Amino acid sequence: MCDAQRVTSEPVRPAQPGAAPDLVELAKIVARQRAELDRLRDQAAMSAVVERATGAEMALTGCSADAAGERLLQRAKAARHTLLEECWITLGSLAPAAPDPGEAPGPVGTAGPESAVPEKTTTPDDVAAALARLGQALVRVPTPHDLARCLLEHLGPDMAADAVMLFARRPDGGLELIGHAGIEDKLAAQWSQVPPLSGIAALDALRAGEPRWLEDFASDARRYLLIGEPPEQWRSRAWLPVTGAGSAEVCVGVLRGRAGSFTPRDRAHLRGVAGLCAGRLRAFDAPPERSADAATDVVQTLFDALPLAAMLLTPLSAATGETEDFRVEAATAQAGDLLGRPGEELAGRRLLEFRPALVGEPLWWGCVHTLTTGEPYESEPFAHEEVLAGIAALSTYSARVARLGDALVVSWVRHGSSDRQEQRLADLQRLGNLGWANWNLATLEASWSSQVFAIFGRDSADGPVGLAGLPELALPEDAPALTRAVRGLVEDGRAFDLPFRIRTSGVIRHLRLVAEAVADTHGTPVEVHGVVQDMTARRRAELALVESEQAILTQNDVLRAERTLASRLQHALLPMANRPVQLAGLRVEVAYLPAQSGVHVGGDWFSAVELPDDGALLVVGDVAGHGVGAVATMAQLRFTAKGMVITGSSLTGALARLNTLLLHSRDSHATATMVLARYNPRQRRLAWAQAGHPPPLLLRDGEARYLRRPRGMVLGATSTPVYEEAECRLEPGDRLILFTDGLVEHPPDGIDRGLERLAEAVAAPHTDGPGSLGPLLAQMLPEERRDDVCVVDVRVPRVPEP
């Protein structure tokens, strides 16, 4: 018999939308366009890889473009690769292999049907998907260093890789570190050049052409010279030769901080990674060769004789005409040490090959500015860590850039200890906004640091002010104290620490002067040393703090007064009965408990009145917000709802009109929730409707359940609400509880848990006597309430037995 619903909502016309442009939609359009542009760029880069692999296939087999594309596609399907993966593998095996006797020559991997299908291996689906993603990521990798970073991003989440290193075999049999990620620059510099020694795992893997799995740290440390400071930072390692055509020339190292073996899945994954890297490494454009002429040799000879770090750079332009890189035409040995490439031949290589992070740094923009304008550039001093004889030392450098025709000369100057000391003193004065001043009392000469001139707003060309003239710079009210302090210093040698104010450029500054006198052998002051500090920012902060504290105190007083007023209004509007009342044959008990934390009073309310038709009106509601405004809105809704229902309005009609009332009230942003219920004692029927409020709880025969809520939106939330009405027949002995969310919502527990606790508490054994609502509230509420609580407890008396 409960919860029958019928829609009786009264339609409300929606407000006309404004004509202002929707900036959110415009932002979405821009974001979609950017995403589409990125997609097109990636597609173009991937197309270039496919076309390059197709061209290689055509050159190696002599087939047409269509046939080459079909061969690539068939090999990809047979090996369960994506087309992009197969293209990288093809580019990694460009050179033809030596043909067997009696076999027609053909390229590796393309000689015939047997070679078109790679060696059968079992690759898990997740590894295949990961390699496909890596193949797509490789099209955006421009340098070996970027390749190392890309591999670390790929392998880090998958197998807990912490570092990646790329070593290339040098002509002398040693190794050169061409890319790294996850290791410090200092360690990279130490391992940038590896001689052809035994006991190097990467060299061992290259010579054998097989991976080396270092999975037992103790035994590996006895067999190999392990990388790391200390080596224990990486407990397991894998070194895989990147095999393309012929012998392997590059080795990929994967270093992990965790101990343990590489699983068969990990090994299959890493072998696939090495296969893709072969194509990417071969596809890197080689640096342009320099013309070996007499002029070039002379320039390099000149740079070899320079006793400092310097390079001669020529710009390389992109298709747009902008400078995208610089080629090193000549360089000194010191330049290689400074760039972390000791012993390398820098000439002929691109600058960003070994310093990709240079783009965006001040030195890069200094080079571009000098190239464009011809004006020399000098950087701010910066610290650089050098490793000399195995010992790390911190040095200070400045970089200088000058144009030489169409080229640039970049040099680095190392500052001596005296230069560093002077620079530190200048930094101290600038950062502390203070400066030193000296006054000679015998010669009346004065000297100020540059920061003192800046503090006083005085041009250094006008010279410093004498000690006797300092009081004239202070504000009139501060001048007497400064005059007395200066006199005591000069006559008696009394040091002082005195604040005073000056006016410069129409702004008042708060200064502090600390001064002491230096006396001769007779005790007569002959010189004064002083420190001037600008305390304006600190003084303003102190004043702002005082003002803030005063504002907080004032606001607290206002909030307390507002709480007192709101509390009095609330008690006047919600008279509380001290015991249960009889209403339309029902026993009704109400409880209102204000919040105990905060300084505001909430907008919870209830109403339980008898209607002209001998029925009863039961209401609970909650206005969003606190304070006098919430109490005023509560009063407006409480009395308006009661008046509309008493005069014959339907429950849903009353809710629709209350919604309109809130939308057009002074506080147009006010919202509220409520439950309206009308009880007919003759039929014992309860009709009810709600607006975004928790449903009533019904206890019958020891079982507690919540009435199924009819549809209803929060009041004041929309101009087109829909409200429905439900009905329920109450039986003798039933108990119905209407409440606000303060009864069931107690963070960190959610409201669902609170509703469960309320149902359990109501279903527990209880008494029917007066004051029985008290134990329920004590069981449900915490010690400190952060929200108001309003409860209407309705009980249907049992029919007396005959």
Side-chain angles (χ1 to χ4, degrees):
M1 296 296 294
C2 292
D3 299 341
Q5 299 181 16
R6 60 177 182 275
V7 178
T8 57
S9 175
E10 301 185 9
V12 181
R13 293 188 177 184
Q16 293 296 325
D22 192 344
L23 298 181
V24 175
E25 291 299 325
L26 292 178
K28 290 180 180 179
I29 293 173
V30 172
R32 286 197 297 268
Q33 291 176 340
R34 289 177 177 172
E36 179 64 15
L37 181 60
D38 292 339
R39 187 189 67 81
L40 293 175
R41 287 174 178 169
D42 289 346
Q43 185 177 0
M46 288 187 286
S47 299
V49 175
V50 174
E51 290 175 3
R52 190 166 183 173
T54 303
E57 188 76 13
M58 293 170 60
L60 293 172
T61 63
C63 63
S64 64
D66 292 340
E70 184 62 27
R71 291 171 70 92
L72 289 172
L73 188 60
Q74 291 302 323
R75 287 208 303 272
K77 290 181 178 179
R80 296 180 65 193
H81 295 157
T82 65
L83 179 59
L84 194 58
E85 287 180 87
E86 191 62 37
C87 289
W88 285 127
I89 296 173
T90 300
L91 291 176
S93 55
L94 289 179
D100 293 332
E103 182 183 359
V108 173
T110 59
E114 293 80 12
S115 61
V117 179
E119 181 182 356
K120 185 65 176 179
T121 58
T122 302
T123 304
D125 292 341
D126 60 333
V127 172
L131 292 175
R133 292 193 297 271
L134 177 60
Q136 292 180 338
L138 290 181
V139 302
R140 296 186 293 273
V141 173
T143 67
H145 275 293
D146 293 312
L147 175 58
R149 283 190 286 269
C150 179
L151 294 181
L152 184 57
E153 293 175 358
H154 174 77
L155 298 174
D158 186 87
M159 60 183 68
D162 296 302
V164 170
M165 303 180 75
L166 300 178
F167 278 109
R169 194 201 303 262
R170 293 200 318 246
D172 63 357
L175 296 177
E176 174 185 359
L177 183 62
I178 61 173
H180 62 83
I183 68 173
E184 298 180 354
D185 292 339
K186 176 183 174 181
L187 185 61
Q190 293 176 350
W191 287 84
S192 60
Q193 302 290 329
V194 180
L197 303 174
S198 60
I200 305 297
L203 266 175
D204 193 9
L206 284 174
R207 290 166 180 165
E210 292 292 336
R212 290 293 178 259
W213 310 100
L214 280 63
E215 301 166 325
D216 185 341
F217 181 81
S219 60
D220 294 335
R222 292 191 295 268
R223 180 179 181 186
Y224 294 113
L225 178 61
L226 300 180
I227 299 173
E229 286 188 353
E232 291 82 357
Q233 70 183 105
W234 294 307
R235 308 291 297 185
S236 59
R237 308 148 192 256
W239 293 97
L240 296 98
V242 178
T243 306
S247 61
E249 298 296 330
V250 176
C251 189
V252 176
V254 179
L255 294 79
R256 303 190 304 183
R258 75 180 189 186
S261 302
F262 290 87
T263 65
R265 175 195 174 280
D266 292 340
R267 296 191 177 196
H269 191 172
L270 290 175
R271 286 192 173 95
V273 168
L276 295 182
C277 288
R280 175 69 269 185
L281 288 167
R282 186 172 294 278
F284 285 135
D285 294 327
E289 296 292 338
R290 294 188 304 151
S291 57
D293 52 19
T296 302
D297 295 338
V298 169
V299 172
Q300 185 59 57
T301 302
L302 174 62
F303 270 72
D304 288 339
L306 293 177
L308 74 164
M311 294 190 302
L312 179 65
L313 305 178
T314 56
L316 301 176
S317 300
T320 60
E322 298 180 353
T323 300
E324 65 175 2
D325 205 346
F326 292 91
R327 184 174 60 242
V328 181
E329 300 295 345
T332 64
Q334 296 90 328
D337 296 338
L338 187 63
L339 296 175
R341 301 288 179 172
E344 287 193 38
E345 180 66 30
L346 302 182
R349 298 178 64 176
R350 293 181 175 229
L351 184 61
L352 295 184
E353 281 187 45
F354 40 85
R355 281 297 296 274
L358 186 64
V359 176
E361 292 184 359
L363 180 57
W364 174 269
W365 295 116
C367 291
V368 174
H369 176 76
T370 301
L371 184 66
T372 304
T373 65
E375 299 176 358
Y377 166 78
E378 183 167 353
S379 74
E380 294 289 334
F382 61 90
H384 175 71
E385 188 178 76
E386 299 175 303
V387 181
L388 303 175
I391 301 175
L394 197 63
S395 301
T396 303
Y397 285 85
S398 290
R400 296 174 181 174
V401 183
R403 195 166 75 177
L404 180 63
D406 294 333
L408 296 178
V409 177
V410 182
S411 60
W412 289 266
V413 178
R414 187 172 183 269
H415 298 284
S417 58
S418 61
D419 297 330
R420 291 198 300 271
Q421 191 68 21
E422 183 177 346
Q423 181 62 41
R424 289 167 184 165
L425 180 59
D427 291 341
L428 175 63
Q429 295 185 75
R430 176 177 52 82
L431 296 174
N433 202 3
L434 54 82
W436 56 264
N438 288 337
W439 292 275
N440 191 310
L441 302 181
T443 62
L444 300 183
E445 293 179 351
S447 60
W448 286 0
S449 67
S450 59
Q451 193 67 26
V452 175
F453 284 101
I455 291 174
F456 279 99
R458 184 177 177 84
D459 191 346
S460 58
D462 297 333
V465 176
L467 187 60
L470 275 183
E472 298 177 3
L473 302 179
L475 293 183
E477 49 269 39
D478 294 345
L482 186 56
T483 301
R484 290 191 297 271
V486 170
R487 184 182 301 117
L489 178 67
V490 173
E491 296 177 356
D492 303 324
R494 293 196 303 267
F496 66 83
D497 183 346
L498 184 70
F500 63 98
R501 294 168 295 171
I502 65 171
R503 184 183 299 276
T504 173
S505 301
V507 178
I508 293 179
R509 290 186 180 180
H510 296 261
L511 306 184
R512 174 193 180 196
L513 175 58
V514 182
E516 66 177 4
V518 178
D520 58 12
T521 56
H522 303 290
T524 304
V526 294
E527 191 174 4
V528 173
H529 299 163
V531 175
V532 181
Q533 186 176 14
D534 189 347
M535 307 291 290
T536 305
R538 177 177 175 180
R539 182 58 179 163
R540 288 175 179 170
E542 292 174 350
L543 294 175
L545 180 60
V546 171
E547 292 177 358
S548 177
E549 291 176 348
Q550 292 177 347
I552 291 174
L553 292 175
T554 303
Q555 183 67 18
N556 282 336
D557 291 341
V558 172
L559 293 177
R560 290 191 185 95
E562 181 181 340
R563 177 180 175 85
T564 301
L565 175 60
S567 179
R568 291 176 180 176
L569 287 174
Q570 198 172 52
H571 286 300
L573 295 171
L574 296 176
M576 295 291 298
N578 54 8
R579 57 187 180 83
V581 297
Q582 298 298 322
L583 189 66
L586 303 173
R587 197 192 75 164
V588 180
E589 184 179 357
V590 297
Y592 174 79
L593 300 175
Q596 293 175 313
S597 61
V599 295
H600 287 309
V601 176
D604 291 23
W605 88 93
F606 67 89
S607 185
V609 297
E610 189 170 356
L611 298 176
D613 59 358
D614 296 331
L617 174 66
L618 306 172
V619 187
V620 290
D622 186 0
V623 175
H626 300 82
V628 176
V631 175
T633 303
M634 175 269 287
Q636 188 180 33
L637 293 177
R638 182 175 187 267
F639 292 112
T640 304
K642 183 191 303 183
M644 286 190 294
V645 175
I646 289 177
T647 55
S649 177
S650 66
L651 300 180
T652 55
L655 289 177
R657 290 184 174 86
L658 291 175
N659 181 77
T660 304
L661 179 65
L662 275 188
L663 289 175
H664 294 84
S665 64
R666 178 180 300 178
D667 184 3
S668 59
H669 301 291
T671 59
T673 66
M674 65 183 301
V675 168
L676 279 175
R678 185 204 303 265
Y679 177 69
N680 186 329
R682 289 181 291 275
Q683 301 177 351
R684 292 204 305 273
R685 289 188 177 275
L686 181 78
W688 69 286
Q690 62 86 28
H693 201 87
L697 176 65
L698 176 64
L699 175 65
R700 175 175 294 172
D701 298 330
E703 179 184 355
R705 68 179 182 88
Y706 292 95
L707 300 183
R708 189 163 62 90
R709 287 200 319 170
R711 287 199 297 171
M713 305 183 69
V714 174
L715 299 176
T718 177
S719 58
T720 57
V722 174
Y723 297 108
E724 296 180 353
E725 185 178 299
E727 289 186 354
C728 179
R729 178 181 174 86
L730 297 182
E731 302 294 341
D734 284 354
R735 183 181 184 184
L736 188 72
I737 297 179
L738 291 75
F739 56 92
T740 58
D741 57 4
L743 181 65
V744 294
E745 191 170 19
H746 308 297
D749 295 337
I751 192 171
D752 292 337
R753 176 54 186 155
L755 293 173
E756 293 176 1
R757 290 182 59 242
L758 177 61
E760 294 170 358
V762 171
H766 58 279
T767 63
D768 291 332
S772 60
L773 192 54
L776 175 64
L777 297 177
Q779 183 177 352
M780 287 296 300
L781 298 179
E783 294 182 0
E784 183 176 355
R785 297 182 301 275
R786 293 193 288 181
D787 197 3
D788 294 357
V789 176
C790 188
V791 181
V792 177
D793 186 4
V794 179
R795 304 191 184 219
V796 182
R798 297 185 180 276
V799 177
E801 296 181 2

